[in-house]
Amino acid sequence: MEKNIRIAYFGTPEFAASQLEAILKAGYEVAVVVTMPDKPAGRGRKIQYSDVKLTALEHGLPLLQPEKLKNPEFLEQLASYQADLFIVVAFRMLPAVVWQMPKMGTFNLHASLLPQYRGAAPINFAIINGETETGLTTFFLNEEIDKGAIIMREKVNIRPDETAGELHDELMLLGNKVVVETIKKIENDEVHALPQEELSENQPLKPAPKITKEFCNIDWSSDCLTVYNHIRGLSPYPAAHTQLQSENGETIDMKVYAVEIESCIPNVAPGSVVTDHKKYLKIALSDGFIHLKQVQQAGKKAMPIDDFLRGTQLNGSWKTTL
């Protein structure tokens, strides 16, 4: 049975598609879905639909894919659906002319406990920084990115070995519940929005900016825990990266998905590669070794380290170059 509220839903990736499904399952009417334009992807440059578009098509929902959010034609189309509430999950920044449109406002679901980790990569940076908890926040949009008044916050613990991919999936499922509960609060006029300034006093705020290719390079001059958190915070995507170099100048580029720490005082210089050529490959740091457990050599599939060693000749002395 549909509830007496019309929703316009904005989103793009799998994370957002999951919440769209939850909203529909809860019986709310999604009047229109807004997602990014179709773009070619992969080596074949085939047109690829976003996960949110696929979900909208599956349910026969009206769909808008504007190139520019201030385009008058798009604004007219969006207004014609007469949505009471706009919901934004993993989309781009909305201009004021859009988020001010619905009478019940526009709220966003963000994958951190705001005001901490504002920005594009909150899941990654929570792990990279060694946090033991994070969560989800819903908040009303305003003129500034991720700074609107908070509606709900839901905490989750981060396991010491949890990867960004695993935390993403956990928060995606939790988001289904949080988004629906937020809609109910707004619908029933039960929202007591909390300005983020009241939570950010007397605490340093940690950002979550967009991750660059350079940031993915592993810094082997760091300590073991820092490198371990960096790798799991980028696993499986976009993935930490390193380069091995032989004494003869041969190089091997690879992504690193999983590692383990061996705490000790190494008898070799930091950055040195130590291997039995069969079962293990470890890299020396100042306070121990990082054992590579799953890697992906450029142009090949991801594989366990023993499979990598069987197919790769590491003759002589090797070290990291980054």
Side-chain angles (χ1 to χ4, degrees), residues 3 9 19 48 54 63-64 89 104 132 142 147 176 202 210 219 226 245 267 302 308 312 315 321:
K3 309 291 175 57
Y9 188 83
Q19 274 88 64
Q48 186 171 331
L54 291 172
L63 191 65
L64 298 176
V89 182
M104 290 183 170
T132 58
N142 65 9
K147 292 186 178 182
N176 297 345
N202 303 320
K210 184 178 180 180
D219 180 5
T226 298
Q245 185 175 62
N267 57 0
F308 167 79
T312 308
N315 299 321
T321 61

Side-chain angles (χ1 to χ4, degrees), residues 123-125 127-128 161-169 211 215-216 227-241 255-259 294-295 302:
I123 295 174
N124 304 92
F125 276 98
I127 292 179
I128 288 166
D161 62 345
E162 192 161 17
T163 66
E166 291 167 339
L167 182 57
H168 167 280
D169 292 350
I211 293 172
F215 181 80
C216 293
V227 170
Y228 177 74
N229 289 342
H230 184 246
I231 291 168
R232 70 188 180 97
L234 296 174
S235 179
Y237 183 82
H241 173 269
K255 292 179 178 179
V256 182
Y257 296 104
V259 296
Q294 186 184 35
V295 300

Side-chain angles (χ1 to χ4, degrees), residues 212-232:
T212 63
K213 185 177 180 180
E214 291 73 25
F215 181 80
C216 293
N217 293 333
I218 301 170
D219 180 5
W220 297 106
S221 66
S222 300
D223 61 276
C224 282
L225 185 58
T226 298
V227 170
Y228 177 74
N229 289 342
H230 184 246
I231 291 168
R232 70 188 180 97

Side-chain angles (χ1 to χ4, degrees), residues 95-151:
V97 68
V98 174
W99 59 259
Q100 290 177 348
M101 193 178 290
K103 63 183 180 182
M104 290 183 170
T106 300
F107 80 82
N108 178 258
L109 175 72
H110 187 75
S112 79
L113 297 174
L114 289 174
Q116 294 293 354
Y117 295 108
R118 293 169 176 152
I123 295 174
N124 304 92
F125 276 98
I127 292 179
I128 288 166
N129 290 338
E131 303 289 358
T132 58
E133 73 172 18
T134 185
L136 294 169
T137 304
T138 52
F139 65 96
F140 286 115
L141 262 62
N142 65 9
E143 293 85 354
E144 299 181 277
I145 298 176
D146 298 335
K147 292 186 178 182
I150 290 171
I151 306 167

Side-chain angles (χ1 to χ4, degrees), residues 196-210:
Q196 290 193 36
E197 293 77 13
E198 295 186 20
L199 293 171
S200 60
E201 293 178 358
N202 303 320
Q203 63 168 316
L205 297 181
K206 301 173 186 178
K210 184 178 180 180

